[in-house]
Amino acid sequence: MTLLLKPITRLSLFQTHFQIINNNPRARARAISVSCSWSHEAHKIVREFDPKIPIEKAITPPCSWYTDPSFYAFELDRVFYRGWQAVGYTEQIQEPRDFFSGRLGNVEFVVCRDDNGKIAAFHNVCRHHASLLVSGSGKTSCFTCPYHGWTYGLNGELRKATRISGIDDFSINDFGLVPIKVATWGPFVLLNMDNEILQKDNIDTDNVASEWLGSSSELFSLNGVDTTLTYVCRREYIIECNWKIFEKVSIQSAEGGSKQKEDDRLGSKAFYAFIYPNFMINRYGPWMDTNLAIPLGPRKCLVVFDYFLEASFKDDKAFIERSLADSEKVQMEDIRLCEGVQKGIESPAYSTGRYAPNVEKAMHHFHCLLYDNLIN
């Protein structure tokens, strides 16, 4: 398992939101006050873990990292609203007018491909009265708000605004959808919510790979993580645990040999990678599955599994069903473990734990990366 760290910038989604409310002094002051309050409390909690202590003597992060609302809010701002985050795959927007939507923390987003084939992403929020524009995925020529019918093009421009008669100082050009930077790498769609990067018109694919995968992008390609795979299906699980617990507990491995059958689900070669902070790629035999842990609250997360398969196996329905059934069994076991750990963490009998140095170096490294991300 490989742990990879992305460079962290100091700008946050709060600043993007700040731009939207900067004409309302009262709202701006309230947002700053709330941000400072949870930031101060969360910093205290972060410092309860010391990454400088070697793993043989180290104490795990305190239970508040998995339960405290202020820490959760701080974590969203420092970890998930900065840098590139995997949110989907290119096959979801393969053709013009395709779109898919999602949520990361408090951010509702929509990703689409316009008639010219250009990919764009926006906050999935109408600029009139904040209704969500779309849900799920599909195909559309425009985004029409279900509340009052404001209509936006796939480039985010406001095309139609209803109920605006009598409004002073209104310019239709000022009320387009709020953009989010989007990029692709291999089969994956990535979003970056940093305000700073929104000012750049073009995104260098090599830079995205470097920021997201560090120096290991070539290693991913060499191990079959690419666009030649066929998308099979998605499985989603809502788990009653903090997102970090899923990273902590769900450990998969495979061992293969030269005598394995050609259609064996695992094959003779496996490549497992963890991309900080919440994305896992598992490439084994003809399969690739990705695991995305999306925080829904201090004690809840959504885990999304997407399955891909080498094209030569895509018509073997019996093989696919058998493989997915095996995977489902593993996920059910993981869910029970994760939810049990969350309950234990919330017990008054637990505050911190210890690491098993020989087998939990990756976990310790993950906690150290998270600490650096939160403290800086």
Side-chain angles (χ1 to χ4, degrees):
M1 181 174 288
T2 304
L3 286 169
L4 304 169
L5 176 62
K6 305 174 296 182
I8 302 300
T9 61
R10 294 181 179 274
L11 296 174
S12 69
L13 184 70
F14 173 74
Q15 290 170 288
T16 303
H17 179 65
F18 184 88
Q19 288 186 335
I20 297 172
I21 66 171
N22 62 5
N23 291 324
N24 186 333
R26 184 175 298 176
R28 183 168 68 247
R30 182 169 59 250
I32 292 173
S33 176
V34 171
S35 176
C36 291
S37 176
W38 56 250
S39 177
H40 176 72
E41 181 63 27
H43 260 113
K44 290 168 54 180
I45 296 173
V46 172
R47 290 190 175 93
E48 293 179 26
F49 173 74
D50 188 349
K52 296 179 182 179
I53 300 175
I55 187 172
E56 293 80 8
K57 298 181 179 181
I59 302 297
T60 63
C63 57
S64 52
W65 278 37
Y66 302 87
T67 59
D68 188 273
S70 66
F71 185 87
Y72 171 72
F74 188 64
E75 198 173 51
L76 287 178
D77 180 72
R78 289 297 182 95
V79 178
F80 291 96
Y81 297 160
R82 309 183 185 197
W84 293 102
Q85 306 288 335
V87 296
Y89 50 94
T90 54
E91 199 161 336
Q92 290 176 285
I93 46 170
Q94 192 171 26
E95 300 177 353
R97 300 189 176 186
D98 284 348
F99 76 89
F100 70 87
S101 61
R103 179 184 178 95
L104 180 59
N106 295 326
V107 178
E108 299 281 353
F109 63 82
V110 59
V111 180
C112 62
R113 188 183 294 273
D114 66 18
D115 289 326
N116 297 317
K118 183 179 179 181
I119 299 174
F122 307 96
H123 288 264
N124 182 23
V125 178
C126 181
R127 296 294 303 279
H128 184 208
H129 287 319
S131 173
L132 298 187
L133 295 170
V134 295
S135 62
S137 60
K139 189 178 286 288
T140 186
S141 60
C142 60
F143 300 122
T144 301
C145 178
Y147 193 11
H148 291 123
W150 281 33
T151 302
Y152 304 86
L154 299 184
N155 60 359
E157 293 179 356
L158 179 59
R159 291 181 177 176
K160 176 184 176 183
T162 62
R163 304 189 181 191
I164 60 172
S165 60
I167 297 180
D168 293 334
D169 303 321
F170 179 84
S171 173
I172 198 168
N173 294 327
D174 295 335
F175 283 84
L177 297 179
V178 179
I180 302 173
K181 270 303 182 186
V182 62
T184 62
W185 187 90
F188 309 118
V189 176
L190 313 172
L191 294 185
N192 191 320
M193 299 169 193
D194 285 348
N195 183 47
E196 183 181 58
I197 200 170
L198 288 176
Q199 311 308 320
K200 301 177 182 178
D201 293 330
N202 299 310
I203 297 176
D204 189 304
T205 303
D206 291 336
N207 285 342
V208 171
S210 176
E211 292 173 10
W212 191 49
L213 299 175
S215 60
S216 300
S217 58
E218 185 177 354
L219 183 62
F220 278 70
S221 299
L222 291 174
N223 280 276
V225 181
D226 54 41
T227 57
T228 63
L229 300 169
T230 298
Y231 179 74
V232 177
C233 67
R234 167 172 288 190
R235 297 285 188 269
E236 296 184 350
Y237 307 88
I238 292 180
I239 307 178
E240 298 295 327
C241 73
N242 185 277
W243 70 276
K244 295 185 293 298
I245 288 179
F246 180 79
E247 307 290 3
K248 178 178 176 181
V249 173
S250 184
I251 300 173
Q252 301 181 36
S253 62
E255 296 181 359
S258 59
K259 296 183 179 180
Q260 288 182 303
K261 297 179 181 178
E262 182 181 349
D263 65 346
D264 185 85
R265 189 177 73 93
L266 298 179
S268 59
K269 184 180 179 181
F271 174 76
Y272 298 134
F274 170 62
I275 304 175
Y276 178 85
N278 65 329
F279 193 56
M280 284 164 281
I281 300 174
N282 308 308
R283 185 72 168 91
Y284 47 94
W287 284 98
M288 180 177 78
D289 68 66
T290 62
N291 318 155
L292 181 64
I294 303 172
L296 298 179
R299 301 171 177 85
K300 181 180 291 189
C301 67
L302 170 68
V303 179
V304 179
F305 285 78
D306 285 313
Y307 293 89
F308 303 80
L309 187 62
E310 291 176 4
S312 60
F313 289 84
K314 67 179 182 179
D315 295 324
D316 191 338
K317 293 183 179 180
F319 169 65
I320 293 174
E321 290 178 1
R322 184 171 69 253
S323 299
L324 292 176
D326 290 342
S327 180
E328 179 77 7
K329 181 180 179 181
V330 173
Q331 308 325 322
M332 292 299 102
E333 293 172 353
D334 280 348
I335 289 174
R336 286 192 292 271
L337 285 171
C338 291
E339 293 184 339
V341 169
Q342 182 69 37
K343 291 176 181 178
I345 281 177
E346 295 175 355
S347 165
Y350 183 87
S351 58
T352 59
R354 297 294 301 273
Y355 297 98
N358 292 332
V359 295
E360 294 182 337
K361 290 179 181 177
M363 183 194 301
H364 179 250
H365 185 42
F366 169 61
H367 291 152
C368 291
L369 294 181
L370 188 58
Y371 174 92
D372 289 340
N373 202 162
L374 294 168
I375 209 69
N376 295 318

mmCIF file of all heavy atoms in Angstrom, residues 88-95 98 100 113 119 183-189 227 308:
data_model
loop_
_atom_site.group_PDB
_atom_site.id
_atom_site.type_symbol
_atom_site.label_atom_id
_atom_site.label_comp_id
_atom_site.label_asym_id
_atom_site.label_seq_id
_atom_site.Cartn_x
_atom_site.Cartn_y
_atom_site.Cartn_z
ATOM 1 N N GLY A 88 -15.195 11.272 -9.438
ATOM 2 C CA GLY A 88 -15.928 10.450 -10.400
ATOM 3 C C GLY A 88 -14.984 9.917 -11.452
ATOM 4 O O GLY A 88 -13.764 9.895 -11.274
ATOM 5 N N TYR A 89 -15.528 9.492 -12.579
ATOM 6 C CA TYR A 89 -14.722 8.882 -13.633
ATOM 7 C C TYR A 89 -15.191 9.412 -14.985
ATOM 8 O O TYR A 89 -16.327 9.867 -15.156
ATOM 9 C CB TYR A 89 -14.811 7.358 -13.580
ATOM 10 C CG TYR A 89 -16.219 6.828 -13.512
ATOM 11 C CD1 TYR A 89 -16.902 6.461 -14.654
ATOM 12 C CD2 TYR A 89 -16.877 6.712 -12.287
ATOM 13 C CE1 TYR A 89 -18.198 5.986 -14.595
ATOM 14 C CE2 TYR A 89 -18.180 6.242 -12.211
ATOM 15 C CZ TYR A 89 -18.835 5.880 -13.374
ATOM 16 O OH TYR A 89 -20.125 5.434 -13.305
ATOM 17 N N THR A 90 -14.295 9.390 -15.959
ATOM 18 C CA THR A 90 -14.550 10.046 -17.239
ATOM 19 C C THR A 90 -15.716 9.422 -18.005
ATOM 20 O O THR A 90 -16.372 10.100 -18.794
ATOM 21 C CB THR A 90 -13.292 10.007 -18.123
ATOM 22 O OG1 THR A 90 -12.846 8.645 -18.251
ATOM 23 C CG2 THR A 90 -12.180 10.835 -17.498
ATOM 24 N N GLU A 91 -15.974 8.137 -17.774
ATOM 25 C CA GLU A 91 -17.064 7.491 -18.505
ATOM 26 C C GLU A 91 -18.430 8.061 -18.118
ATOM 27 O O GLU A 91 -19.397 7.921 -18.857
ATOM 28 C CB GLU A 91 -17.031 5.977 -18.257
ATOM 29 C CG GLU A 91 -17.797 5.183 -19.308
ATOM 30 C CD GLU A 91 -17.389 3.729 -19.346
ATOM 31 O OE1 GLU A 91 -16.267 3.406 -18.934
ATOM 32 O OE2 GLU A 91 -18.204 2.911 -19.813
ATOM 33 N N GLN A 92 -18.511 8.721 -16.969
ATOM 34 C CA GLN A 92 -19.763 9.366 -16.568
ATOM 35 C C GLN A 92 -20.087 10.582 -17.435
ATOM 36 O O GLN A 92 -21.234 10.997 -17.511
ATOM 37 C CB GLN A 92 -19.690 9.796 -15.102
ATOM 38 C CG GLN A 92 -19.690 8.654 -14.114
ATOM 39 C CD GLN A 92 -19.510 9.148 -12.691
ATOM 40 O OE1 GLN A 92 -18.405 9.524 -12.309
ATOM 41 N NE2 GLN A 92 -20.575 9.150 -11.923
ATOM 42 N N ILE A 93 -19.063 11.165 -18.046
ATOM 43 C CA ILE A 93 -19.255 12.329 -18.910
ATOM 44 C C ILE A 93 -18.576 12.080 -20.238
ATOM 45 O O ILE A 93 -17.845 12.919 -20.763
ATOM 46 C CB ILE A 93 -18.715 13.618 -18.247
ATOM 47 C CG1 ILE A 93 -17.326 13.374 -17.639
ATOM 48 C CG2 ILE A 93 -19.678 14.137 -17.198
ATOM 49 C CD1 ILE A 93 -16.635 14.633 -17.195
ATOM 50 N N GLN A 94 -18.851 10.933 -20.796
ATOM 51 C CA GLN A 94 -18.171 10.494 -22.010
ATOM 52 C C GLN A 94 -18.632 11.269 -23.234
ATOM 53 O O GLN A 94 -17.852 11.535 -24.146
ATOM 54 C CB GLN A 94 -18.409 8.996 -22.211
ATOM 55 C CG GLN A 94 -17.538 8.353 -23.269
ATOM 56 C CD GLN A 94 -17.675 6.841 -23.244
ATOM 57 O OE1 GLN A 94 -18.687 6.295 -22.835
ATOM 58 N NE2 GLN A 94 -16.635 6.151 -23.688
ATOM 59 N N GLU A 95 -19.900 11.659 -23.263
ATOM 60 C CA GLU A 95 -20.477 12.316 -24.436
ATOM 61 C C GLU A 95 -20.923 13.734 -24.102
ATOM 62 O O GLU A 95 -21.163 14.069 -22.940
ATOM 63 C CB GLU A 95 -21.675 11.507 -24.949
ATOM 64 C CG GLU A 95 -21.332 10.086 -25.373
ATOM 65 C CD GLU A 95 -22.556 9.310 -25.812
ATOM 66 O OE1 GLU A 95 -23.684 9.851 -25.644
ATOM 67 O OE2 GLU A 95 -22.390 8.187 -26.303
ATOM 68 N N ASP A 98 -23.518 15.138 -21.183
ATOM 69 C CA ASP A 98 -23.534 14.261 -20.004
ATOM 70 C C ASP A 98 -23.181 15.082 -18.759
ATOM 71 O O ASP A 98 -22.383 16.021 -18.829
ATOM 72 C CB ASP A 98 -22.503 13.142 -20.149
ATOM 73 C CG ASP A 98 -22.955 12.048 -21.111
ATOM 74 O OD1 ASP A 98 -24.134 12.030 -21.478
ATOM 75 O OD2 ASP A 98 -22.094 11.221 -21.484
ATOM 76 N N PHE A 100 -22.851 14.631 -14.132
ATOM 77 C CA PHE A 100 -23.101 13.930 -12.880
ATOM 78 C C PHE A 100 -22.922 14.923 -11.742
ATOM 79 O O PHE A 100 -22.182 15.904 -11.858
ATOM 80 C CB PHE A 100 -22.210 12.698 -12.709
ATOM 81 C CG PHE A 100 -20.754 12.986 -12.459
ATOM 82 C CD1 PHE A 100 -20.272 13.203 -11.172
ATOM 83 C CD2 PHE A 100 -19.850 13.013 -13.516
ATOM 84 C CE1 PHE A 100 -18.922 13.450 -10.946
ATOM 85 C CE2 PHE A 100 -18.498 13.255 -13.295
ATOM 86 C CZ PHE A 100 -18.041 13.479 -11.999
ATOM 87 N N ARG A 113 -20.112 17.902 -19.543
ATOM 88 C CA ARG A 113 -19.376 18.073 -20.802
ATOM 89 C C ARG A 113 -20.290 18.818 -21.768
ATOM 90 O O ARG A 113 -21.420 18.371 -22.016
ATOM 91 C CB ARG A 113 -18.957 16.720 -21.380
ATOM 92 C CG ARG A 113 -18.018 16.837 -22.580
ATOM 93 C CD ARG A 113 -17.694 15.471 -23.170
ATOM 94 N NE ARG A 113 -16.912 14.629 -22.272
ATOM 95 C CZ ARG A 113 -15.585 14.639 -22.199
ATOM 96 N NH1 ARG A 113 -14.898 15.473 -22.959
ATOM 97 N NH2 ARG A 113 -14.957 13.814 -21.375
ATOM 98 N N ILE A 119 -15.037 19.878 -20.648
ATOM 99 C CA ILE A 119 -15.510 19.498 -19.321
ATOM 100 C C ILE A 119 -15.500 20.717 -18.405
ATOM 101 O O ILE A 119 -14.553 21.509 -18.412
ATOM 102 C CB ILE A 119 -14.630 18.386 -18.720
ATOM 103 C CG1 ILE A 119 -14.683 17.133 -19.599
ATOM 104 C CG2 ILE A 119 -15.073 18.038 -17.297
ATOM 105 C CD1 ILE A 119 -13.737 16.037 -19.153
ATOM 106 N N ALA A 183 -10.337 18.579 -13.607
ATOM 107 C CA ALA A 183 -9.303 17.976 -14.448
ATOM 108 C C ALA A 183 -9.553 16.481 -14.508
ATOM 109 O O ALA A 183 -10.349 15.925 -13.736
ATOM 110 C CB ALA A 183 -7.907 18.276 -13.894
ATOM 111 N N THR A 184 -8.880 15.818 -15.419
ATOM 112 C CA THR A 184 -8.957 14.361 -15.496
ATOM 113 C C THR A 184 -7.551 13.794 -15.490
ATOM 114 O O THR A 184 -6.598 14.419 -15.961
ATOM 115 C CB THR A 184 -9.686 13.887 -16.770
ATOM 116 O OG1 THR A 184 -8.958 14.316 -17.931
ATOM 117 C CG2 THR A 184 -11.099 14.446 -16.815
ATOM 118 N N TRP A 185 -7.429 12.608 -14.925
ATOM 119 C CA TRP A 185 -6.188 11.844 -15.008
ATOM 120 C C TRP A 185 -6.578 10.380 -15.162
ATOM 121 O O TRP A 185 -7.300 9.834 -14.318
ATOM 122 C CB TRP A 185 -5.318 12.012 -13.763
ATOM 123 C CG TRP A 185 -3.985 11.348 -13.945
ATOM 124 C CD1 TRP A 185 -2.857 11.898 -14.457
ATOM 125 C CD2 TRP A 185 -3.671 9.964 -13.676
ATOM 126 N NE1 TRP A 185 -1.845 10.957 -14.512
ATOM 127 C CE2 TRP A 185 -2.313 9.766 -14.040
ATOM 128 C CE3 TRP A 185 -4.396 8.882 -13.159
ATOM 129 C CZ2 TRP A 185 -1.683 8.539 -13.915
ATOM 130 C CZ3 TRP A 185 -3.758 7.661 -13.038
ATOM 131 C CH2 TRP A 185 -2.415 7.494 -13.410
ATOM 132 N N GLY A 186 -6.110 9.775 -16.266
ATOM 133 C CA GLY A 186 -6.529 8.405 -16.526
ATOM 134 C C GLY A 186 -8.049 8.352 -16.599
ATOM 135 O O GLY A 186 -8.681 9.199 -17.232
ATOM 136 N N PRO A 187 -8.683 7.417 -15.910
ATOM 137 C CA PRO A 187 -10.140 7.306 -15.950
ATOM 138 C C PRO A 187 -10.851 8.176 -14.909
ATOM 139 O O PRO A 187 -12.067 8.111 -14.798
ATOM 140 C CB PRO A 187 -10.370 5.817 -15.647
ATOM 141 C CG PRO A 187 -9.229 5.454 -14.756
ATOM 142 C CD PRO A 187 -8.049 6.282 -15.204
ATOM 143 N N PHE A 188 -10.124 9.014 -14.173
ATOM 144 C CA PHE A 188 -10.692 9.701 -13.018
ATOM 145 C C PHE A 188 -10.967 11.177 -13.293
ATOM 146 O O PHE A 188 -10.206 11.846 -14.000
ATOM 147 C CB PHE A 188 -9.765 9.570 -11.809
ATOM 148 C CG PHE A 188 -9.354 8.162 -11.522
ATOM 149 C CD1 PHE A 188 -8.025 7.781 -11.572
ATOM 150 C CD2 PHE A 188 -10.312 7.196 -11.235
ATOM 151 C CE1 PHE A 188 -7.637 6.480 -11.323
ATOM 152 C CE2 PHE A 188 -9.944 5.884 -10.995
ATOM 153 C CZ PHE A 188 -8.608 5.519 -11.041
ATOM 154 N N VAL A 189 -12.045 11.669 -12.702
ATOM 155 C CA VAL A 189 -12.383 13.093 -12.722
ATOM 156 C C VAL A 189 -12.026 13.682 -11.362
ATOM 157 O O VAL A 189 -12.387 13.125 -10.317
ATOM 158 C CB VAL A 189 -13.888 13.316 -13.001
ATOM 159 C CG1 VAL A 189 -14.242 14.798 -12.911
ATOM 160 C CG2 VAL A 189 -14.250 12.768 -14.380
ATOM 161 N N THR A 227 -7.228 4.249 -19.007
ATOM 162 C CA THR A 227 -8.564 4.390 -19.594
ATOM 163 C C THR A 227 -8.968 3.211 -20.465
ATOM 164 O O THR A 227 -10.041 3.237 -21.066
ATOM 165 C CB THR A 227 -8.619 5.668 -20.437
ATOM 166 O OG1 THR A 227 -7.592 5.616 -21.441
ATOM 167 C CG2 THR A 227 -8.414 6.907 -19.574
ATOM 168 N N PHE A 308 -14.123 -1.634 -12.456
ATOM 169 C CA PHE A 308 -13.691 -1.598 -13.845
ATOM 170 C C PHE A 308 -13.109 -2.968 -14.204
ATOM 171 O O PHE A 308 -12.588 -3.672 -13.346
ATOM 172 C CB PHE A 308 -12.625 -0.520 -14.052
ATOM 173 C CG PHE A 308 -13.059 0.859 -13.649
ATOM 174 C CD1 PHE A 308 -13.054 1.251 -12.311
ATOM 175 C CD2 PHE A 308 -13.460 1.788 -14.607
ATOM 176 C CE1 PHE A 308 -13.450 2.527 -11.933
ATOM 177 C CE2 PHE A 308 -13.853 3.068 -14.236
ATOM 178 C CZ PHE A 308 -13.845 3.431 -12.902
#
